């Protein structure tokens, strides 16, 4: 690997730092051998989002972030969807695999979706008088941070 390259008499290019020296990638990294998805395991609440990142691993010269020519899919789109930039949105409780492809290379992450934790309980009626020996039915709903409600039983 050469750090300096002569372009013409009296002109020297620092190939490590300048991409305008005749090549858009002056360092020979060799072939891309694998891609990695991060995080590899994630958990979201319904309505939450997460961005996945891809790293390309090369034969030589290690690894670099990769954000071009990627195809994203979710194995269970009703549980979570993923957009063209790798941002997943959780729709319903369950598990799905988030896959990214770059040419023939593929990486997979596991995504679990759960109902978000309750911010507070809404109990109805809020107040009630019950005579001795009588019963009264109450209902309870968990109100989540995203505004959704879950009936408790």
């Amino acid at each position: 690997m050469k750090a300096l390259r002569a372009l013409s008499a009296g002109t020297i290019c620092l190939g490590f730092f300048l991409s305008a020296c005749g090549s858009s990638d002056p360092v020979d990294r060799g072939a891309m051998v694998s891609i990695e998805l991060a995080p590899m395991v994630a958990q979201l609440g319904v309505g939450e989002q997460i961005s996945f990142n891809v790293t390309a691993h090369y034969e030589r010269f290690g690894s670099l972030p990769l954000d071009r020519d990627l195809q994203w899919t979710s194995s269970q789109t009703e549980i979570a969807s993923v957009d063209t930039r790798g941002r997943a949105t959780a729709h319903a409780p369950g598990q799905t695999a988030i896959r990214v492809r770059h040419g023939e290379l593929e990486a997979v992450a596991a995504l679990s979706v759960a109902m978000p934790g309750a911010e507070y309980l809404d109990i109805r009626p809020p107040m009630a008088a019950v005579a001795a020996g009588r019963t009264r039915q109450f209902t309870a709903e968990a109100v989540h941070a995203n505004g959704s409600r879950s009936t408790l039983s």
Side-chain angles (χ1 to χ4, degrees):
M1 192 178 334
K2 296 179 183 176
L4 300 176
R5 181 170 34 141
L7 295 178
S8 62
T11 304
I12 295 178
C13 174
L14 296 173
F16 286 110
F17 305 105
L18 301 174
S19 63
C21 297
S23 170
S24 63
D25 188 3
V27 178
D28 178 16
R29 293 183 179 89
M32 188 183 301
V33 294
S34 67
I35 59 175
E36 181 179 345
L37 194 51
M40 292 175 51
V41 177
Q43 184 169 352
L44 296 177
V46 171
E48 295 179 336
Q49 295 183 322
I50 188 170
S51 290
F52 289 92
N53 298 300
V54 180
T55 301
H57 300 282
Y58 297 89
E59 285 178 320
R60 301 182 290 276
F61 196 68
S63 307
L64 291 172
L66 180 65
D67 62 1
R68 292 183 175 169
D69 302 320
L70 299 172
Q71 293 81 43
W72 295 90
T73 59
S74 169
S75 64
Q76 304 288 327
T77 55
E78 67 278 3
I79 293 172
S81 58
V82 62
D83 68 17
T84 58
R85 290 194 210 142
R87 187 165 184 84
T89 302
H91 303 296
Q95 295 182 352
T96 186
I98 302 297
R99 286 185 165 75
V100 64
R101 289 186 64 85
H102 179 78
E104 296 299 315
L105 301 175
E106 180 178 89
V108 180
L111 177 60
S112 297
V113 178
M115 286 302 294
E119 290 288 309
Y120 63 92
L121 296 178
D122 184 10
I123 300 173
R124 303 223 179 228
M127 295 175 54
V130 181
R134 306 289 259 162
T135 61
R136 171 73 178 177
Q137 181 72 39
F138 287 84
T139 60
E141 288 184 315
V143 180
H144 306 284
N146 65 3
S148 66
R149 293 174 165 260
S150 301
T151 302
L152 305 175
S153 56

